[in-house]
Amino acid sequence: VQLQASGGGLVQTGGSLKLSCVATTSGFAINTMGWYRQAPGKERALVAAITSGGRWHLADFAKGRFDISKDNARNTVWLQMDNLNPEDTAVYFCNAGYDYSLTEPGDFWGQGTEVTVSS
């Protein structure tokens, strides 16, 4: 499985970004895709995840500001991020797995896309 993430960039406080991630598989179905982020000096943390059946999970800091969606046929997941603030500055990693866990990372990681929010 290969994951290709895109959509990061520089945005001002209060702005929005939409991250995309496309999974290329060898035939086995990807059942869960999600996003993690890692800020400088901090551990990687779950942002949001969604299953092929539509169950989803958002971290507390993301609730009310971020939204995750998925197109199963295209193996694509999006993370819409609104009302961004400097604390959201991090490298965002796409994650995917064959199981249905919404709170544990799957086995596959993308290369990361950088999000910088200026004050």
Side-chain angles (χ1 to χ4, degrees):
V1 176
Q2 294 185 328
L3 302 176
Q4 182 65 47
S6 61
L10 173 65
V11 66
Q12 291 184 333
T13 296
S16 298
L17 284 174
K18 187 172 186 176
L19 307 183
S20 301
C21 178
V22 180
T24 303
T25 73
S26 59
F28 294 101
I30 292 293
N31 289 312
T32 302
M33 295 184 74
W35 294 92
Y36 286 70
R37 73 183 188 183
Q38 188 165 18
K42 295 187 177 181
E43 294 185 353
R44 193 171 296 188
L46 172 65
V47 179
I50 187 168
T51 69
S52 55
R55 292 188 306 115
W56 51 269
H57 171 83
L58 285 173
D60 286 344
F61 63 78
K63 293 177 180 177
R65 302 188 299 129
F66 296 2
D67 182 55
I68 188 168
S69 57
K70 187 174 183 286
D71 184 328
N72 295 327
R74 295 164 60 185
N75 276 339
T76 301
V77 65
W78 296 275
L79 182 69
Q80 175 68 44
M81 304 187 293
D82 298 320
N83 194 21
L84 288 160
N85 61 63
E87 289 70 38
D88 297 313
T89 294
V91 178
Y92 285 69
F93 295 91
C94 180
N95 177 262
Y98 295 129
D99 63 17
Y100 292 94
S101 174
L102 288 171
T103 56
E104 294 295 325
D107 292 332
F108 309 104
W109 293 94
Q111 82 283 10
T113 184
E114 192 165 356
V115 172
T116 303
V117 185
S118 64
S119 57

